[in-house]
Amino acid sequence: MPGTQVQESLRAAALLADIKVWGAELGFARLGVANIDLSRDEAHFRDWLENGFNGEMEYLSRHGSKRYRPAELLPGTVSCISVRMDYWPKDAADAESVLAADPASGNPGAASAHLGEGSRPLVAGSGRVGHGDGSLGYVSRYALGRDYHKLMRQRLQKLCERIAETVGPFGYRAFADSAPVLEKALARNAGLGWIGKHTNLIDRKAGSYFFLGEIYIDLELPTDSGSASHCGTCNACIPACPTGAIVAPYRLDARRCISYLTIELKGPIPTELRRPMGNRIYGCDDCQLACPWNKFARPTREPDFDVRHGLDRTDLPTLFAWSEEEFVERTRGSAISRIGYERWLRNIAVALGNAPSSAPVSAALASRKDDPSALVREHVEWAIAEQVSRGESI
């Protein structure tokens, strides 16, 4: 019996070594295997929900314990393969040249944490983030290319097929942000990084600009050692958040997060949070831009994540002038398409209210005073009032 167990362990170790090679061949920047014990994360997640920090994302409270007990979601699961895919577009305009501060307070967002310079896709803490061109729209860098979900699922499926060629049929299910899965906790358990104070996963050799994917499997594989935290006493991400969404280390109030406000929230954006949004029209990267570990981040090698339609630095009046047909065509296959045309205009209206006064900005706002959408009209009215308060006549 002991000899048989040794042989099984050796076979499992050899299979894992092959899986990591196949993962690299499929374009995953890193792959690890996690144990599925998430008991220490269960209490944290349930407390987060009880505090209402999920806002309108009621889907996060569905499925009960299946979210943090993988074997309940997929019976028979004993291991989880976790993968990382980098996304920072190699030719994207520097975030620092686009991000603008709150026009009222001058809060520079990520620039508030002076971290020094490093070799990276963007120099955070250089003192320029938040002092970019406020007439441009800022789109979170993960959303500048094609939506990653389809690509990730395809690659995960190919990996499963390679495994099946070696071991025969086995039970599995692949996920790309597509089911109730605590992906960051599993990635931590798989040694892919630690969960930072901004609640994103951080790899000490690659920063945090990456997507995650998972495969639940009924094969018992050797697990990787979980990652220890390396945030130390650094709190740079917390003051970097323009809206104060990081209410404590490792605790995010999504209701204040610009990513939530511009993507998940369906109705009006709270008035008190509009100025701090600056020119961020889809998502926000500030907490990651402030993180010193991102000096090790590198641009993606995936052409699917390359910038499309110049959305890394397009001026706000041009974006606001898009027809619904143009919006559908230019965001087809991207993450942006999910918010729809109405919320796209809502977000841009806020950014126009925060933009430096100019004839194009005034004309853009005037053009949508009578927009068919009540949601858009209300945000345009707010934006016009903001411009008027700074001396502009519209």
Side-chain angles (χ1 to χ4, degrees):
M1 184 66 70
T4 301
Q5 291 176 340
V6 169
Q7 290 178 349
E8 290 178 352
S9 296
L10 290 173
R11 281 196 294 269
L15 175 60
L16 177 56
D18 286 340
I19 290 172
K20 291 191 175 185
V21 171
W22 300 333
E25 291 173 350
L26 287 167
F28 297 126
R30 197 169 173 192
L31 180 153
V33 176
N35 70 71
I36 60 171
D37 179 9
L38 299 175
S39 54
R40 65 170 169 154
D41 301 284
E42 178 177 342
H44 179 83
F45 182 73
R46 293 175 66 174
D47 179 67
W48 185 79
L49 287 177
E50 288 170 4
N51 277 278
F53 289 151
N54 58 316
E56 292 184 2
M57 296 184 290
E58 52 84 23
Y59 60 86
L60 291 174
S61 61
R62 297 179 202 155
H63 308 291
S65 58
K66 290 181 179 180
R67 186 175 297 275
Y68 35 79
R69 297 177 190 172
E72 291 186 13
L73 180 63
L74 182 65
T77 298
V78 294
S79 303
C80 172
I81 297 173
S82 182
V83 302
R84 188 189 95 215
M85 185 178 285
D86 300 337
Y87 66 69
W88 191 279
K90 61 179 180 299
D91 296 322
D94 285 344
E96 62 193 16
S97 69
V98 181
L99 278 169
D102 173 347
S105 70
N107 173 24
S112 62
H114 187 78
L115 305 172
E117 302 192 10
S119 175
R120 50 189 296 193
L122 141 89
V123 180
S126 62
R128 295 193 298 272
V129 178
H131 296 283
D133 188 344
S135 69
L136 305 177
Y138 185 83
V139 174
S140 180
R141 272 32 198 161
Y142 85 85
L144 292 174
R146 291 189 177 278
D147 190 352
Y148 82 96
H149 294 84
K150 183 177 180 180
L151 177 65
M152 177 72 82
R153 282 195 297 270
Q154 290 175 339
R155 300 282 178 85
L156 291 172
Q157 179 61 33
K158 288 180 180 179
L159 180 58
C160 292
E161 291 168 1
R162 291 290 299 272
I163 296 172
E165 290 173 3
T166 299
V167 304
F170 70 102
Y172 70 87
R173 183 176 171 185
F175 305 100
D177 192 30
S178 53
V181 174
L182 288 184
E183 62 177 10
K184 288 181 283 189
L186 287 165
R188 178 204 61 215
N189 287 0
L192 269 59
W194 72 93
I195 299 173
K197 294 177 182 178
H198 50 22
T199 74
N200 293 302
L201 196 78
I202 304 172
D203 183 319
R204 66 186 304 174
K205 295 182 178 179
S208 61
Y209 302 130
F210 49 76
F211 299 123
L212 295 172
E214 302 78 38
I215 307 171
Y216 283 4
I217 59 175
D218 64 359
L219 302 175
E220 192 162 352
L221 294 174
T223 57
D224 289 275
S225 298
S227 298
S229 175
H230 296 281
C231 287
T233 59
C234 178
N235 289 311
C237 58
I238 298 176
C241 178
T243 52
I246 307 172
V247 295
Y250 312 106
R251 202 163 180 81
L252 178 76
D253 184 347
R255 297 168 298 183
R256 300 186 63 85
C257 177
I258 293 175
S259 289
Y260 170 84
L261 296 172
T262 57
I263 300 171
E264 301 289 348
L265 184 66
K266 296 179 175 63
I269 293 170
T271 305
E272 69 274 15
L273 298 177
R274 296 180 188 181
R275 283 181 177 177
M277 285 172 58
N279 61 343
R280 299 158 183 82
I281 60 173
Y282 188 92
C284 182
D285 295 322
D286 286 48
C287 63
Q288 295 186 87
L289 299 177
C291 178
W293 289 105
N294 272 322
K295 66 184 177 183
F296 298 114
R298 293 293 178 267
T300 183
R301 297 179 180 178
E302 291 293 340
D304 269 20
F305 302 150
D306 289 347
V307 178
R308 304 170 73 208
H309 302 295
L311 284 174
D312 55 330
R313 55 172 302 109
T314 300
D315 67 272
L316 293 166
T318 295
L319 297 172
F320 207 49
W322 283 4
S323 66
E324 187 165 8
E325 292 72 21
E326 288 172 319
F327 170 81
V328 171
E329 174 60 29
R330 293 170 185 173
T331 65
R332 182 177 287 115
S334 84
I336 299 172
S337 65
R338 65 176 291 217
I339 67 171
Y341 185 57
E342 183 181 46
R343 279 187 273 170
W344 174 250
L345 294 179
R346 174 201 65 182
N347 296 347
I348 298 171
V350 171
L352 285 166
N354 293 327
S357 299
S358 70
V361 166
S362 296
L365 289 170
S367 73
R368 294 199 181 273
K369 279 184 177 180
D370 300 315
D371 192 89
S373 164
L375 180 69
V376 174
R377 287 199 307 274
E378 189 275 317
H379 286 74
V380 168
E381 290 169 4
W382 176 86
I384 289 173
E386 288 294 291
Q387 289 289 335
V388 169
S389 72
R390 299 198 293 275
E392 189 67 10
S393 177
I394 302 177

